[in-house]
Amino acid sequence: MARSQARRVAVLVSGRGTNLQALLDAVAAPDYPARIARVVSNVPGAGALARAEAAGVPVAVIDHRPFGKDRSAFEAALTAELEACGAELVCLAGFMRLLTDGFVARWRDRLINIHPSLLPAFKGLDTHARVLAAGVRFTGCTVHYVRPAMDAGPIIAQAVVPVRPEDTAQTLAARVLVEEHRLLPAVVRWWAEGRLHPEGEVVTVAGAITPAAGLVNPTA
Ligand code: GAR
């Protein structure tokens, strides 16, 4: 696909940026139907910024701290940056600021987030430690459209990861992260191909193939 035809995605980050890297790697393929127009970080010096720069993607830093409690002013600066780069989709990839209802409404059905659990279970921080403490047998990751509450909104796709008896929060996080890196570029591709159809709180993915059978634990 000609780069000029590729849909424009902006990525908001706060940290090391491994999910951003998965997107950068995906968009490098000539037939990928989206490109990253800008990476915006609220954290100066975030590792994600170096990843974007290494890939030749324009970056912006909008530090939330000078805005103090004025979240709307911070988000107005974010929106100005997103509009300037012509973003059609905004992807939260480890962006660790809560967004106001106004910002979420402005980008409704054009704002997606990745979270390292099978939502709506285990919203928030320290996901993997809480998964282990709860004794669930399966966890995973979710990509969803963003609605005002934290880690809430219509689910687009999920990947399931088994929890092993010997897992620590670190080993589990590492296995979930592998799936995050597959899921996010896949969802952005589906969006760019026009296959995502959010209706209210439910998303249909055109042409989706659903596994025929469930997973049962333990299997032996
Ligand atoms: C990822 O695991 C992502 O799912 C999580 O932050 C990590 C960012 O890692 N996001 C959330 O917890 C959102 N509630 P990365 O910077 O290496 O992509």
Side-chain angles (χ1 to χ4, degrees), residues 12-15 19 42 92-96 113-114:
L12 303 190
V13 294
S14 301
N19 277 290
N42 67 308
L92 308 180
F95 183 72
M96 299 315 231
N113 178 46
I114 182 154

PDB file of all heavy atoms in Angstrom, residues 12-15 19 42 92-96 113-114:
ATOM      1  N   LEU A  12      -0.047   7.379  22.176  1.00  0.00           N
ATOM      2  CA  LEU A  12       0.257   8.065  23.430  1.00  0.00           C
ATOM      3  C   LEU A  12       0.952   7.090  24.366  1.00  0.00           C
ATOM      4  O   LEU A  12       0.465   5.968  24.562  1.00  0.00           O
ATOM      5  CB  LEU A  12      -1.013   8.601  24.102  1.00  0.00           C
ATOM      6  CG  LEU A  12      -1.892   9.567  23.298  1.00  0.00           C
ATOM      7  CD1 LEU A  12      -2.964  10.182  24.205  1.00  0.00           C
ATOM      8  CD2 LEU A  12      -1.072  10.666  22.659  1.00  0.00           C
ATOM      9  N   VAL A  13       2.056   7.518  24.941  1.00  0.00           N
ATOM     10  CA  VAL A  13       2.898   6.634  25.753  1.00  0.00           C
ATOM     11  C   VAL A  13       3.341   7.351  27.025  1.00  0.00           C
ATOM     12  O   VAL A  13       3.338   8.586  27.083  1.00  0.00           O
ATOM     13  CB  VAL A  13       4.151   6.199  24.958  1.00  0.00           C
ATOM     14  CG1 VAL A  13       3.787   5.333  23.759  1.00  0.00           C
ATOM     15  CG2 VAL A  13       4.957   7.420  24.509  1.00  0.00           C
ATOM     16  N   SER A  14       3.748   6.531  28.013  1.00  0.00           N
ATOM     17  CA  SER A  14       4.336   7.091  29.231  1.00  0.00           C
ATOM     18  C   SER A  14       5.630   6.384  29.613  1.00  0.00           C
ATOM     19  O   SER A  14       6.347   6.884  30.486  1.00  0.00           O
ATOM     20  CB  SER A  14       3.367   6.956  30.420  1.00  0.00           C
ATOM     21  OG  SER A  14       2.146   7.607  30.178  1.00  0.00           O
ATOM     22  N   GLY A  15       5.922   5.229  29.022  1.00  0.00           N
ATOM     23  CA  GLY A  15       7.005   4.409  29.579  1.00  0.00           C
ATOM     24  C   GLY A  15       7.966   3.863  28.550  1.00  0.00           C
ATOM     25  O   GLY A  15       8.343   4.532  27.594  1.00  0.00           O
ATOM     26  N   ASN A  19       5.012  -1.907  23.486  1.00  0.00           N
ATOM     27  CA  ASN A  19       3.846  -2.007  22.585  1.00  0.00           C
ATOM     28  C   ASN A  19       3.980  -1.039  21.415  1.00  0.00           C
ATOM     29  O   ASN A  19       3.597  -1.369  20.284  1.00  0.00           O
ATOM     30  CB  ASN A  19       2.551  -1.752  23.363  1.00  0.00           C
ATOM     31  CG  ASN A  19       2.073  -3.001  24.071  1.00  0.00           C
ATOM     32  OD1 ASN A  19       1.635  -3.941  23.418  1.00  0.00           O
ATOM     33  ND2 ASN A  19       2.197  -3.025  25.390  1.00  0.00           N
ATOM     34  N   ASN A  42       3.708  11.902  27.828  1.00  0.00           N
ATOM     35  CA  ASN A  42       3.550  12.862  28.931  1.00  0.00           C
ATOM     36  C   ASN A  42       4.755  12.822  29.860  1.00  0.00           C
ATOM     37  O   ASN A  42       4.817  13.595  30.818  1.00  0.00           O
ATOM     38  CB  ASN A  42       2.275  12.560  29.729  1.00  0.00           C
ATOM     39  CG  ASN A  42       2.368  11.247  30.480  1.00  0.00           C
ATOM     40  OD1 ASN A  42       2.698  10.220  29.881  1.00  0.00           O
ATOM     41  ND2 ASN A  42       2.107  11.262  31.776  1.00  0.00           N
ATOM     42  N   LEU A  92      -3.657   4.321  22.986  1.00  0.00           N
ATOM     43  CA  LEU A  92      -2.980   4.419  24.280  1.00  0.00           C
ATOM     44  C   LEU A  92      -2.153   3.153  24.458  1.00  0.00           C
ATOM     45  O   LEU A  92      -2.710   2.056  24.527  1.00  0.00           O
ATOM     46  CB  LEU A  92      -3.991   4.550  25.421  1.00  0.00           C
ATOM     47  CG  LEU A  92      -5.054   5.653  25.289  1.00  0.00           C
ATOM     48  CD1 LEU A  92      -5.969   5.645  26.522  1.00  0.00           C
ATOM     49  CD2 LEU A  92      -4.399   7.024  25.122  1.00  0.00           C
ATOM     50  N   ALA A  93      -0.838   3.303  24.485  1.00  0.00           N
ATOM     51  CA  ALA A  93       0.050   2.139  24.618  1.00  0.00           C
ATOM     52  C   ALA A  93       0.940   2.357  25.843  1.00  0.00           C
ATOM     53  O   ALA A  93       2.043   2.884  25.744  1.00  0.00           O
ATOM     54  CB  ALA A  93       0.891   1.968  23.348  1.00  0.00           C
ATOM     55  N   GLY A  94       0.387   1.989  26.999  1.00  0.00           N
ATOM     56  CA  GLY A  94       1.112   2.257  28.238  1.00  0.00           C
ATOM     57  C   GLY A  94       1.087   3.738  28.578  1.00  0.00           C
ATOM     58  O   GLY A  94       2.050   4.281  29.104  1.00  0.00           O
ATOM     59  N   PHE A  95      -0.042   4.384  28.302  1.00  0.00           N
ATOM     60  CA  PHE A  95      -0.219   5.801  28.651  1.00  0.00           C
ATOM     61  C   PHE A  95      -0.907   5.836  30.008  1.00  0.00           C
ATOM     62  O   PHE A  95      -2.046   5.390  30.136  1.00  0.00           O
ATOM     63  CB  PHE A  95      -1.055   6.511  27.591  1.00  0.00           C
ATOM     64  CG  PHE A  95      -1.232   7.986  27.842  1.00  0.00           C
ATOM     65  CD1 PHE A  95      -0.171   8.860  27.664  1.00  0.00           C
ATOM     66  CD2 PHE A  95      -2.452   8.497  28.251  1.00  0.00           C
ATOM     67  CE1 PHE A  95      -0.325  10.227  27.886  1.00  0.00           C
ATOM     68  CE2 PHE A  95      -2.614   9.854  28.475  1.00  0.00           C
ATOM     69  CZ  PHE A  95      -1.550  10.720  28.295  1.00  0.00           C
ATOM     70  N   MET A  96      -0.209   6.326  31.028  1.00  0.00           N
ATOM     71  CA  MET A  96      -0.651   6.113  32.395  1.00  0.00           C
ATOM     72  C   MET A  96      -1.278   7.358  33.031  1.00  0.00           C
ATOM     73  O   MET A  96      -1.085   7.614  34.214  1.00  0.00           O
ATOM     74  CB  MET A  96       0.528   5.605  33.239  1.00  0.00           C
ATOM     75  CG  MET A  96       1.073   4.277  32.739  1.00  0.00           C
ATOM     76  SD  MET A  96      -0.210   3.058  32.349  1.00  0.00           S
ATOM     77  CE  MET A  96       0.349   1.640  33.253  1.00  0.00           C
ATOM     78  N   ASN A 113      -7.239   1.453  23.783  1.00  0.00           N
ATOM     79  CA  ASN A 113      -6.287   1.228  24.874  1.00  0.00           C
ATOM     80  C   ASN A 113      -5.942  -0.256  24.924  1.00  0.00           C
ATOM     81  O   ASN A 113      -6.781  -1.103  24.599  1.00  0.00           O
ATOM     82  CB  ASN A 113      -6.935   1.646  26.206  1.00  0.00           C
ATOM     83  CG  ASN A 113      -6.033   1.410  27.408  1.00  0.00           C
ATOM     84  OD1 ASN A 113      -4.850   1.756  27.386  1.00  0.00           O
ATOM     85  ND2 ASN A 113      -6.578   0.825  28.467  1.00  0.00           N
ATOM     86  N   ILE A 114      -4.717  -0.546  25.343  1.00  0.00           N
ATOM     87  CA  ILE A 114      -4.368  -1.944  25.624  1.00  0.00           C
ATOM     88  C   ILE A 114      -4.129  -2.087  27.113  1.00  0.00           C
ATOM     89  O   ILE A 114      -3.492  -1.239  27.747  1.00  0.00           O
ATOM     90  CB  ILE A 114      -3.156  -2.436  24.802  1.00  0.00           C
ATOM     91  CG1 ILE A 114      -2.889  -3.910  25.101  1.00  0.00           C
ATOM     92  CG2 ILE A 114      -1.908  -1.589  25.016  1.00  0.00           C
ATOM     93  CD1 ILE A 114      -2.207  -4.654  23.979  1.00  0.00           C
TER      94      ILE A 114
END
